[in-house]
Structures are given as structure tokens and as C-alpha cells.
Amino acid sequence: MAAMNIHRCRFVSYPPSTINALAFSHPSTNSRKGSPPSTLRLAVGRANGDIDIWNPLKGSWFHETTLKGGKDRSVEGLVWTQESDEEDDDGAKIDGRLRLFSIGYSTAVTEWDLGLGKPVRHTNGNFGEIWCIAAQPKWQATAKESSKQSAIEGGFRGQNIVIGCADGAVVLLSTADGDLKFQRSLSRASAKKARILSVTFQNRSIVIAGCADSTIRVFDTRSGQILRSMPLGSGPTGGPKEILVWSVKCLPNGSIVSGDSTGEVRFWDGKNYTLTQRLKSHRADVLDIETSIDGNTVISGGMDRRSIVYKRIGTGKGQDRRRWAKVLHRRFHSHDVKTMATFEAKNFSVIASGGIDTTPVIIPLREFGLEYHQTLPGIPQYPAVQSAPVKRLLMSWWEREVRIWRICRPDYQPSGDDEAAASPSGRKLVAKITLSSEESITSATLSATGDILAISTVVDVKIFRLRERRSTSADMLRVNKLESDQLPLKAGGKLVQFSPDARWLFVIDNNSQVWVIRLTHDSDQRDGPHLTNDIGVYPKGLRLKRLNRHRGESKSNPVGALGNYDRVINRLAFSPDSRIVVVGDLSGYLDSWVLEDHDDTQPVKEDTGDGDSLSGHSSSEGNNYNRAIKMARPILGQHWIRNPSVSLLPKLPSAPIILSFRPPPSADPHQQARNLPVSEDRLLVLTSEHQIYEFEVLKGRLSAWSRRNPSKNLPEVFRDTKARAMGCIWDTNAGMQRLWLYGSSWLWMFNLSKDFQVFVGDSPTSKKGIKKKRKHDEIEDRKHTSGAGSKIRDSELETGIGRKIRKTAGLEKEPEWISLEPPPGSDIDGDGDGQEASALATLRQEIGGGSGDDNDGIQGAEAARDFVAKRRRRGKTAWWSTYKYRPIMGIVPIGSAHDGKELTGGGEALVSQDPEVVLVERPLWDVDLPPRYYGDQEWVK
């Protein structure tokens, strides 16, 4: 078995950012529908100004995109609103548009466009620094109040926004007509200037505000008057006099829950606004509170890192029914819990929490204590690392900074005068670039030869030339910017990538349009207008048009509540010979183009077209090809045309997270040809649901390997892995066809030269088969969760009661075990492939041997390793995995067998044929976090 040489690196100082705000795009619902809406998203606001957008994906939680911030910006609050639903000409319901707003310790409220990935408007006013924000509840028609309430609000059925400011002002902002503007001040700035720390709506007309002067105030948005003030008293003895009300929330019956700086959670009557109960549950400030949709559960988080659950006690409707009790607490975070958000549906009920430790945590709400939590990665899920294997360069970027290191060979012995290579750490920082603009980097790419660097922000794209400093021994790179007036470079972009031969730069702009930029070399043309030494930028770019995928849908609302967000391009891949390029979007569509007429080195007379390579739609494969040839504009004797078979590629069931062409055994990116590519065109696609497909792009069909190996044959543990894949590495040395996939906490190898075997278990009527079936049923039951982690085993439950009861009908009859849980809903069922157990299922069966002990069976880690080793020795396994590395920022190839002598400085060392990679980790314990305010009775302070 061939090995993979891994450089395990932790020197990349990527700074994860504190989570300050969380918000779900939809309110919780009591609907009988099992699954949450398809447009449900979780927005995560960070201290560096970034907003991460997560798709719950039935509990698999896929990071779709990040809205980038900038210098000295912070997201301190987030809310979603949804415009009122409408009807089209056919009477069909059109969901109202979702809108996302943020605040950040300034006097502005910012609205974001998810499709563009940047702000669309800012609203300022004559008020102080904004500290909190809340959205009005959605309008709901009722028999008594529908017409009356609609008349009071002037017919407006959308959701307005209320903000609380540092000077004591409470301001109502209108979102009518797709705008955001001032509507009314509910409380003007006072002489005391009591900060408004938290705000929420009790109903569509009443606002509850928690202040910094030991008071909770109630406002009426219709009259703009204060209805009531609820004092909390003075602070504890020896502490501050004023109590800070960090969070206020309202239960469905109108009752109010508050959390403050004394560590108390207080419950208030929602009709007469009097205190009904107070619980001293936290040892430090309570920073946020969330409630369940039925009003029977409250959860709080605070500086003591605890997440505490409270439930009602008593069964009557009188006084006992309103009593609350602390049920249990957990510490899901290693630092302060700053913010939480909840969403509930029939088969989905979770709390998202975040704080200074930078990692979002998904906690089961309805099944708290019965299911595990799920910790989402705090690092980017699109790898922020790249490499130039030929020159052994490793690049990483964050915020407005790019750093490049040179990685030394493990077996290289430097000479005495080679100071750079003599670094004891095995790497050398050779370049550091800091952008002068205030916008954060959205994407960066480094050519395979390490000569060119491209960096994109939402406002522009910059291209840099990298050269060796031959005159010094510092081994530093000289960085020069390549000037160009091309439109795509001035308009900004969200994704940039060089082709493997470094002749083409593809830019995905903010509108998800595909632009092509040609890079010129000495071999292309001499004395060009934009030539800088040996590399330059061709003066004109090319825009490639994608197929219109929404022709059969409503023009007024083509894709639903999120607008064109699902058409955002999130992945791009080149073929090894740089002649095929494929892009994928969040809806699952793939678009591809091919390069025709390779390398006529003399420039061609420019076409007088409009600059688009394609226009309109293809009706057939032949017409598409002919039209593409006619409309394509040549650049230095080459032009990109739409793949004639692009319309044959099916829509993926979910968004692609990995696009990668299978490399041939020996790929030469500089080969010459004049027709459509005939080399390797097999594209491997991994979706956000961890389904693997391989397409023959030029034929528009699945490859033979993909037809033999459907996704249901993948190892069960891979399909059930919660953490999504981030990237891949290919190993094609010595005739291998190995694919290495990695996520933030795992690394998998799939041997694509072998098919995944399907094993059929023992007969279900046999004694051994019955035991295996029980074990299989237990595993299947643990999959049906409420959106967080898997179910806790019965033997590990700490809630005091199991999930089953034993029913005995007499001494002569066998006892019957009855489940206390409802059957899992059909909306979250598995793939239905129980008849054909995967290799992992067989592994579990053979290891467990039907034992009823929870410490045996699937818990036998040592037995599992022995079993896999035996299978591997017999050549019957097509996969391998490890969880040794975490958290993984990225894995990139380093070194080149073809350039071994150059890489070793002219030495004669033998170059290994095994793949050599750099694995970048960013463990949380290595991140500089602020000290905890509370750390009593801990061995780690």
C-alpha cells in the first residue's frame, strides 16, 4: 500500500472571530409539516464583520456562503424579515422575500443582499449608537383581529424593525415598499442616557426593552408612549448599583422572561407587568435567553459558559402552572455564551448558540438531554489555503492579509550558506501582502508555478506578479501589481481561480457572472500593451453566459423567498489540461465551457461583438455547438464555447461542495490540439448531502464507475458524517486512482480503482440475524433526530428515564418492550437501503457478533481496526478513514516529481513518488482568546 507524506502544520495563524449574533430566517411554527421550509437559513454574525450563512440540511448543517465584512466592522445584531405573501396570475401562493439586517456598534442599520454578497443599503438617523435590534412578529389573520389590526397598521402586513440605542432612544424603522426608513421614535434620548441593551416584541404593537438602569420598559408602537416601567431593584451587595438587563424575550402567552447581570432569570406577568418568579441559576451575567414555541421551555446562556434549561412545573391551570424550575445545565462552550437563536417545526427543534470561542453549537431543544449536540466548525468551510506545488509555496489569507510560505523538503540537507532553507521549523515566510482597501478578501488564488497571485474583494480584483529575489539570500519574494482596466477587475468578485497552465484567470463577480481574463506570456506576444516583463494582462476580458434555468417559473418570483440566492456560484473546477471549466451553484446546476483552437501564438483580429461568448438558450446539442462557435470571441487564437452537452448534465439533488476532475496518470497542461478536448473529462462531484457522482462532462452522462457505484453503496459512516467535506486530493502515482476527501475533523480515502462492495447480511429469521437486526434498528433509530446530533444511547441517558417501558401481561407470556417515542417522520427517513447493508454495516455485524453489551459491537474500536486491516490485506476494502487531524483548515499538494532537482536546489536526492501534502490545522487552544470573566473551580483558568 502506497503512503502519503503529510506535513502537519499549525503555523498558519488564521484568526477565528467571535460570534456576536445568531438569527434564523423563519420564526418557529406549529405547522404539522415535518420538515422546516427549504429556505430556512441560519445567519452567524462575527466580530470581524463577516456573516456566515448556514443551511440546516436536515441536521447536516452546510455552510453555503459568507458575506464578507471589512476593517473595523463588527456584527452585533442580526434579524430577518419576510415580506407578505402574494398570489400570481394563476392564484398560486408566492412566498414573501426574505431580508437580512445587521447592526454593529454604529448609528447605521445595514441590509444585505445574499445574492450579491454585500450590503444594499444603510439607514442612519438622529440617534445614538445602536445596541440591539428586533423584528416585528409576522402578521397572522385571526377571526377577531384580522381586519381591525390591518386597519390600525394602515394595511401593512410586513415586519417592521425596532432598534435600541446607547442614548436611551427606541426607534421604529419601516420596511414597507422594500425600503428601510425611519417611522417613529418610541423613546427619546433622556438626560440619564440609560442604554437600551435588549429589545423584543410582545406582539405586533407592544415592544419590551431591557435597559442599563435596572429597568424594563414597555412601549406602544401605535402611540409611541411608554406603557409601563418594571424595576429590578438595586444590584447585589458589593457589586454595581445598576442591573444590566442583557436579554428580554416573550412567551406565546405574553409573559416576559429577562436575564440580567446578577445571573438571575426573571419571569414577569405579561398582562399587569409584575414579577412572578426569579431564579438565581448562573454564577455570572446572563447574556441571552431563548424560549420554545409552546412556551414550556426556556434556555439561558451566560458568562459562566453554562446553558441552562428551565421547564414549567405543575399540571394545573392555576398558580402552580406558572412556576418554573431549573431542569439541568451543560457547558457546550469553552468561553462566554453571548447569543442564541431557536427554530422549531414538527420534526425539527434546535437552539443555535455562539460566543467568544468562535464555534457555533447546535443544541437539541425539544430533545434536550436525549440527543447529542453538534459543534459546527469555526473555520471557513471553503479552504482558505492554496499551494504552488512546483515551487513548494503555501498560501493562506484572512480578512485583508495574504501570507505565503516556502515549505522545505523533509529529506533536504541545506548547505551552510543557504540560510533560508536552514530554518529549523521547516518553513519560511517569503511574502506578506496587506490590502490598502477596507474590504475583506473574498477569495485568492495562486498559480501552480507560483508566479502569479490574484486577490478578490467585493469592490475589485487585484493581480500580482511574484518573483524570486536572486540578489539576496533572504529567499523573499518580490511582489508587483499588474495594472489593468478590465471591467471584471474593477467590479469585484466572490471567487477567482487560475487555470492549471496559468494562462487563464476565471472571475466570478458579485452577480455570479463568469468572466475570463487572459494572461499573456512572452510566448504569446511581444511588446504587448499591458506586458510587464514576461507576464501581463490581456486588455479585454470575456463574459461567459450560463444557461437560464428558470424559464418555466414565475417571472415575478423565479426562485422563492431567497430571490436569486440559489443561483450563486459556489464552486469552480478546471480540467488538468486547462481546456474544460465547470461551475456549480447552490441550486445544484452545473455549467461548463470548453476551450477550442489551442495556442495560435499570433494575436487574432478582435471580434466586434458585445463581449459575451454565448447568448440565448440551446435547443439541441448541435445547434448549441454551432451557435457557440459563431458567438465566441477569440483571444490570442483561442475561444471558450459552451459545452455542447451541458444541457444533458442533470440537476444535482443538492449544492456541490467539491468539483474535481479525475487527473490522468500523466497530465501535460501544455499539450496542443485544435478541436474539442479528447483528454480526461471525468468530473467528480460531491454534494452537500455527501452523495458522490462522476460525470463524463463532454458526453453529458454518468461515468461507468459512477453507474456501478451509486451513493447508497458508500460506507454508512461516511454518509452519516455530520461535518461536511471541504476539499480533496488525488493520488494517481504508480497507476493509483485514490481520492482523499477531508472535512474539518476527518480524512477519508476512496480507492476508485475498486468498486464498493455490497454485502448482504444473514437471514433475518436466524438467531444471528435477529441480533443483527436489533443492532441495525438501534442504529437507524439514532439517525432520526431533531436537527442536532444523534440520539444518546439508552445506557448513557442522564435524564432519569429511558425511552422504553416493559409491559408484562402474565407469567406465561414474554414481556413486551414498548417505545415511549413517536415513530420517526417520513421527512427525515434515511435512504431506504436497509436491504443491502454497506461494507460498514457488515463490519459492525462481524465485529459486534450480536452482543447486547453496549461496550461491544459498534463500540469495539480495536476490533474495528483489526477488521479493517484484515480486509485491506485481502484487498477487499475500497476506503479508509481517520479522525486524527482536527480542526483541518485545508490540505494542499506540495512538491512535484517532475521538478525534483529544482526543488532540492540542484541536489541529486531521489524524489518520492508518494503524494506529498501540507495539512493545515487550526486548533482552538492555539487561538488567542480574551480571558474568561468567570473560571471558578476549574483547573484551566
Side-chain angles (χ1 to χ4, degrees):
M1 174 182 176
M4 182 167 68
N5 300 317
I6 296 178
H7 297 266
R8 192 174 184 178
C9 301
R10 291 178 177 173
F11 56 81
V12 177
S13 55
Y14 175 87
S17 186
T18 296
I19 297 174
N20 290 333
L22 294 166
F24 280 101
S25 58
H26 293 72
S28 299
T29 174
N30 280 321
S31 173
R32 295 182 179 180
K33 184 177 179 181
S35 296
S38 60
T39 54
L40 178 67
R41 298 296 186 271
L42 172 65
V44 180
R46 297 185 178 271
N48 62 357
D50 291 352
I51 301 178
D52 300 331
I53 305 297
W54 288 80
N55 186 343
L57 209 65
K58 299 180 181 179
S60 294
W61 293 95
F62 166 49
H63 181 197
E64 291 183 333
T65 187
T66 295
L67 312 178
K68 286 295 183 177
K71 182 182 179 182
D72 299 329
R73 301 177 198 172
S74 176
V75 176
E76 300 295 332
L78 289 169
V79 293
W80 296 78
T81 64
Q82 187 170 16
E83 297 179 352
S84 56
D85 298 338
E86 300 178 357
E87 292 185 357
D88 60 12
D89 297 337
D90 299 327
K93 176 184 175 182
I94 299 177
D95 293 334
R97 183 169 63 95
L98 286 168
R99 302 169 66 183
L100 176 63
F101 301 90
S102 70
I103 58 173
Y105 285 151
S106 66
T107 60
V109 178
T110 302
E111 181 178 359
W112 295 81
D113 189 309
L114 270 65
L116 297 178
K118 61 181 183 179
V120 291
R121 63 175 53 89
H122 303 275
T123 297
N124 293 276
N126 189 22
F127 40 77
E129 204 173 64
I130 302 173
W131 274 64
C132 53
I133 186 171
Q136 190 178 25
K138 294 187 66 174
W139 183 88
Q140 295 180 350
T142 60
K144 296 182 179 179
E145 300 181 357
S146 59
S147 58
K148 179 180 178 181
Q149 185 71 16
S150 179
I152 292 176
E153 298 180 4
F156 178 68
R157 297 184 178 183
Q159 294 178 268
N160 289 327
I161 291 175
V162 65
I163 57 175
C165 306
D167 58 1
V170 179
V171 180
L172 185 68
L173 303 177
S174 173
T175 62
D177 302 325
D179 202 354
L180 181 65
K181 54 188 178 181
F182 173 84
Q183 181 169 333
R184 171 176 289 175
S185 289
L186 306 182
S187 173
R188 298 184 182 277
S190 61
K192 294 184 178 181
K193 294 186 177 180
R195 297 191 308 273
I196 308 297
L197 302 179
S198 55
V199 65
T200 189
F201 278 87
Q202 188 180 30
N203 52 50
R204 283 183 63 88
S205 302
I206 305 299
V207 171
I208 312 295
C211 308
D213 60 349
S214 306
T215 307
I216 298 175
R217 294 178 171 86
V218 183
F219 300 91
D220 190 330
T221 60
R222 296 164 294 189
S223 62
Q225 301 297 320
I226 297 180
L227 299 181
R228 189 71 59 90
S229 293
M230 300 182 291
L232 278 72
S234 59
T237 304
K241 180 180 179 180
E242 303 292 348
I243 297 177
L244 308 179
V245 184
W246 291 115
S247 180
V248 287
K249 291 293 188 296
C250 292
L251 299 175
N253 63 358
S255 298
I256 302 168
V257 188
S258 67
D260 54 53
S261 58
T262 64
E264 290 189 355
V265 174
R266 308 192 188 203
F267 297 87
W268 308 78
D269 187 277
K271 295 181 180 179
N272 52 28
Y273 303 110
T274 57
L275 179 67
T276 60
Q277 190 177 353
R278 55 194 290 183
L279 296 173
K280 175 65 175 178
S281 50
H282 288 268
R283 299 178 181 178
D285 295 43
V286 179
L287 299 181
D288 203 2
I289 289 176
E290 284 295 336
T291 65
S292 63
I293 189 173
D294 60 5
N296 293 322
T297 304
V298 172
I299 185 169
S300 63
M303 285 186 178
D304 58 358
R305 311 189 323 278
R306 290 183 176 186
S307 297
I308 301 180
V309 176
Y310 314 85
K311 288 185 177 293
R312 292 182 184 270
I313 58 174
T315 57
K317 296 183 180 180
Q319 180 69 18
D320 288 340
R321 181 59 178 167
R322 295 200 300 268
R323 305 303 295 175
W324 291 84
K326 171 187 170 182
V327 178
L328 68 149
H329 75 267
R330 293 287 185 273
R331 286 183 175 175
F332 301 108
H333 294 271
S334 60
H335 217 296
D336 301 0
V337 182
K338 296 191 66 175
T339 178
M340 295 188 294
T342 62
F343 178 82
E344 291 187 84
K346 180 182 178 182
N347 292 326
F348 195 90
S349 176
V350 298
I351 307 170
S353 66
I356 296 179
D357 62 2
T358 75
T359 56
V361 176
I362 307 301
I363 307 168
L365 176 56
R366 193 181 302 136
E367 301 295 326
F368 193 95
L370 301 176
E371 295 179 358
Y372 293 106
H373 68 282
Q374 182 180 168
T375 301
L376 304 181
I379 56 178
Q381 292 304 281
Y382 186 83
V385 293
Q386 281 196 14
S387 68
V390 174
K391 293 187 177 179
R392 303 185 66 86
L393 297 179
L394 172 68
M395 178 188 69
S396 184
W397 65 91
W398 55 85
E399 297 180 357
R400 298 178 298 115
E401 185 175 311
V402 177
R403 295 188 184 183
I404 303 176
W405 297 266
R406 192 184 304 279
I407 307 299
C408 302
R409 288 188 55 84
D411 56 351
Y412 177 55
Q413 298 296 330
S415 59
D417 57 347
D418 194 349
E419 299 179 2
S423 172
S425 59
R427 87 270 180 179
K428 177 70 175 181
L429 181 64
V430 295
K432 179 179 177 180
I433 304 170
T434 302
L435 301 184
S436 58
S437 64
E438 296 186 351
E439 304 297 330
S440 295
I441 296 172
T442 58
S443 178
T445 181
L446 184 65
S447 65
T449 56
D451 297 327
I452 319 172
L453 168 68
I455 304 173
S456 67
T457 67
V458 294
V459 296
D460 61 4
V461 178
K462 295 180 172 63
I463 304 177
F464 299 91
R465 174 76 167 95
L466 306 180
R467 296 182 179 86
E468 302 284 349
R469 292 182 181 269
R470 299 296 184 182
S471 58
T472 65
S473 59
D475 196 32
M476 299 295 290
L477 295 177
R478 186 173 61 180
V479 181
N480 298 105
K481 182 180 177 181
L482 300 182
E483 300 294 339
S484 176
D485 294 330
Q486 289 198 32
L487 176 61
L489 300 183
K490 299 297 183 180
K494 59 182 64 177
L495 180 62
V496 290
Q497 187 167 332
F498 285 115
S499 62
D501 62 3
R503 295 178 181 272
W504 302 94
L505 173 63
F506 271 63
V507 178
I508 309 300
D509 68 9
N510 298 322
N511 292 302
S512 286
Q513 295 178 333
V514 183
W515 289 88
V516 184
I517 298 173
R518 183 65 156 88
L519 301 175
T520 59
H521 300 259
D522 280 341
S523 59
D524 296 325
Q525 67 178 37
R526 301 287 182 179
D527 301 325
H530 289 268
L531 195 63
T532 304
N533 293 336
D534 58 337
I535 298 179
V537 181
Y538 196 72
K540 292 187 178 181
L542 184 69
R543 183 164 68 91
L544 306 180
K545 284 194 174 181
R546 303 158 63 193
L547 286 177
N548 191 325
R549 310 284 188 170
H550 299 293
R551 285 176 291 172
E553 301 183 15
S554 171
K555 294 182 179 179
S556 61
N557 188 44
V559 290
L562 291 174
N564 292 320
Y565 172 66
D566 70 337
R567 293 290 286 151
V568 170
I569 294 176
N570 68 326
R571 295 295 185 268
L572 183 148
F574 278 97
S575 63
D577 59 1
S578 305
R579 304 194 59 209
I580 309 175
V581 65
V582 178
V583 298
D585 59 33
L586 294 176
S587 64
Y589 286 112
L590 299 176
D591 288 278
S592 58
W593 297 269
V594 295
L595 183 63
E596 199 178 55
D597 288 347
H598 241 274
D599 274 357
D600 283 346
T601 57
Q602 297 300 321
V604 192
K605 183 178 180 181
E606 282 298 321
D607 191 6
T608 57
D610 60 357
D612 292 336
S613 63
L614 297 175
S615 62
H617 311 289
S618 58
S619 58
S620 66
E621 186 173 329
N623 292 339
N624 184 29
Y625 178 77
N626 295 332
R627 184 172 187 144
I629 291 295
K630 183 180 297 184
M631 297 298 297
R633 190 179 69 189
I635 299 179
L636 297 180
Q638 301 173 291
H639 50 232
W640 288 91
I641 66 170
R642 181 182 293 163
N643 177 18
S645 302
V646 64
S647 59
L648 301 179
L649 294 176
K651 180 180 182 291
L652 301 173
S654 58
I657 54 178
I658 292 179
L659 298 178
S660 181
F661 282 88
R662 185 187 294 216
S666 59
D668 182 7
H670 301 286
Q671 59 182 325
Q672 302 281 327
R674 298 194 64 83
N675 299 314
L676 287 178
V678 294
S679 60
E680 185 62 74
D681 69 335
R682 287 179 294 176
L683 174 71
L684 185 132
V685 180
L686 179 66
T687 69
S688 58
E689 296 178 348
H690 272 194
Q691 297 173 321
I692 294 182
Y693 304 93
E694 188 180 57
F695 297 102
E696 295 178 356
V697 175
L698 298 182
K699 298 181 178 63
R701 65 186 184 188
L702 288 172
S703 68
W705 179 90
S706 190
R707 291 193 295 270
R708 296 193 309 269
N709 296 274
S711 296
K712 68 178 183 180
N713 289 355
L714 291 172
E716 184 180 7
V717 70
F718 176 76
R719 289 185 283 118
D720 295 341
T721 299
K722 295 293 185 180
R724 301 293 88 182
M726 296 171 56
C728 70
I729 295 291
W730 289 91
D731 178 12
T732 58
N733 293 323
M736 297 286 186
Q737 288 292 332
R738 289 180 173 174
L739 173 69
W740 294 84
L741 296 174
Y742 65 90
S744 61
S745 59
W746 51 264
L747 177 64
W748 276 76
M749 185 278 294
F750 292 103
N751 189 349
L752 302 189
S753 63
K754 298 179 181 179
D755 293 337
F756 297 113
Q757 298 186 15
V758 179
F759 298 93
V760 180
D762 296 294
S763 170
T765 59
S766 66
K767 183 177 180 180
K768 187 175 181 180
I770 292 175
K771 292 181 178 179
K772 292 179 179 179
K773 184 179 184 301
R774 288 176 181 172
K775 182 67 68 175
H776 175 75
D777 292 342
E778 177 186 345
I779 297 172
E780 288 298 315
D781 289 341
R782 292 181 61 208
K783 294 180 182 179
H784 305 304
T785 67
S786 61
S790 59
K791 291 184 178 179
I792 301 175
R793 295 181 179 86
D794 292 342
S795 60
E796 300 176 3
L797 284 175
E798 299 180 0
T799 55
I801 186 171
R803 298 189 178 95
K804 297 180 180 180
I805 60 174
R806 185 177 181 181
K807 178 181 179 182
T808 303
L811 298 178
E812 299 180 354
K813 295 185 178 181
E814 290 290 333
E816 180 184 2
W817 287 94
I818 301 176
S819 176
L820 299 178
E821 295 184 313
S826 59
D827 298 281
I828 55 175
D829 286 342
D831 296 331
D833 56 342
Q835 298 296 325
E836 297 180 344
S838 65
L840 179 65
T842 303
L843 181 150
R844 289 174 172 172
Q845 292 168 359
E846 295 193 15
I847 294 175
S851 173
D853 188 356
D854 288 330
N855 293 323
D856 295 331
I858 61 174
Q859 295 296 310
E862 294 295 336
R865 285 193 287 268
D866 294 341
F867 176 80
V868 173
K870 292 178 182 179
R871 286 282 187 180
R872 188 178 294 115
R873 284 194 294 270
R874 292 183 300 188
K876 293 186 177 181
T877 54
W879 53 269
W880 175 87
S881 65
T882 181
Y883 297 86
K884 178 180 179 180
Y885 311 102
R886 62 176 61 193
I888 299 175
M889 271 191 61
I891 304 178
V892 293
I894 203 75
S896 172
H898 300 288
D899 299 311
K901 294 184 178 180
E902 177 185 345
L903 295 175
T904 57
E908 297 298 332
L910 180 64
V911 177
S912 171
Q913 294 297 318
D914 295 334
E916 186 180 359
V917 300
V918 174
L919 188 151
V920 181
E921 294 176 294
R922 189 57 173 148
L924 183 61
W925 52 261
D926 202 25
V927 178
D928 292 331
L929 297 178
R932 289 196 290 255
Y933 288 101
Y934 182 84
D936 190 21
Q937 297 179 351
E938 296 183 71
W939 66 275
V940 178
K941 296 297 181 182

